[in-house]
Amino acid sequence: SVTGVQTCALPIYNALGKPDNNIDPEKYIASSINILTKQLSFRIKSLSDGCDPDDVHQIRVILRRLRVIFSALARISSNDDFRQLNSDARQIAKLLGKVREYDVLEDLINAAPRNHINNDKYIDELISGIKLEKDHSLEDLKIITNEGIASIFILRIEDRKSTRLNSSHTDISRMPS
């Protein structure tokens, strides 16, 4: 018989890649959550040392993958834990999104031929505006790192390892370390 975990596995496989056929879907999902949580923790620590655009990008990728998992699990779970984790991941990604937007804009401007943007007051105003908005976004980023919002999110994921996934009482408590 097909369990709820097997039912929700397809979108997760699409996001993370299909495992070997001999791997149990529940163990694959649990292992994926564990790996992504470790990656997120590492990137958040790196981010607290300074704003690296690649760290911001990679955290957003990790959060997107976690959201796929949490969204799929929320459909089969009898409690609201996975919906809340999905919502929390969305909020953190939203804060990081602004920083990422300005990093991309800066890269685009820096890639433009210099003779097109030198001494152009509109470009100078745009660059100044981008830098100002990025500074505001970096303040939001400090909220994520310094106030521990991301760390709390990671702890909440860790706390959910024993949450029941479906009515057959399958759980993810056997997550590998």
Side-chain angles (χ1 to χ4, degrees):
S1 81
V2 176
T3 67
V5 174
Q6 290 169 325
T7 303
C8 78
L10 185 59
I12 295 170
Y13 293 165
N14 289 339
L16 304 177
K18 187 157 180 8
D20 295 334
N21 287 335
N22 58 350
I23 294 177
D24 176 78
E26 183 181 339
K27 288 181 182 175
Y28 176 71
I29 293 167
S31 177
S32 297
I33 291 171
N34 193 52
I35 290 167
L36 290 168
T37 303
K38 286 180 180 180
Q39 290 173 350
L40 180 62
S41 183
F42 173 78
R43 291 289 181 164
I44 292 293
K45 286 177 186 158
S46 297
L47 203 57
S48 63
D49 295 335
C51 182
D52 178 2
D54 186 54
D55 284 331
V56 172
H57 173 67
Q58 290 304 319
I59 290 170
R60 293 183 75 228
V61 169
I62 292 165
L63 289 170
R64 191 173 317 115
R65 289 177 177 163
L66 283 169
R67 288 187 56 218
V68 167
I69 294 170
F70 296 148
S71 177
L73 293 175
R75 286 185 287 228
I76 63 164
S77 180
S78 59
N79 63 44
D80 222 24
D81 292 341
F82 294 110
R83 278 181 193 73
Q84 188 58 50
L85 287 169
N86 188 33
S87 176
D88 293 348
R90 181 183 301 119
Q91 292 303 318
I92 294 170
K94 185 176 177 181
L95 290 172
L96 290 169
K98 289 294 182 185
V99 174
R100 180 74 180 141
E101 280 179 28
Y102 298 116
D103 285 337
V104 170
L105 285 173
E106 282 181 333
D107 288 347
L108 288 172
I109 289 170
N110 291 334
R114 289 284 146 218
N115 61 342
H116 290 298
I117 62 173
N118 284 342
N119 302 318
D120 184 328
K121 80 173 196 168
Y122 297 110
I123 293 292
D124 292 340
E125 285 178 25
L126 176 65
I127 292 170
S128 295
I130 289 170
K131 288 183 181 191
L132 182 64
E133 290 297 324
K134 184 175 179 183
D135 288 342
H136 291 303
S137 294
L138 288 173
E139 290 301 316
D140 290 341
L141 189 58
K142 287 179 187 174
I143 293 170
I144 293 171
T145 56
N146 295 345
E147 294 185 17
I149 291 173
S151 297
I152 292 167
F153 173 68
I154 291 167
L155 288 172
R156 290 187 60 235
I157 294 171
E158 294 291 323
D159 188 47
R160 296 307 177 268
K161 284 184 177 180
S162 63
T163 300
R164 303 286 184 212
L165 294 182
N166 62 29
S167 59
S168 67
H169 298 295
T170 304
D171 67 42
I172 57 174
S173 60
R174 299 181 303 275
M175 292 177 102
S177 298

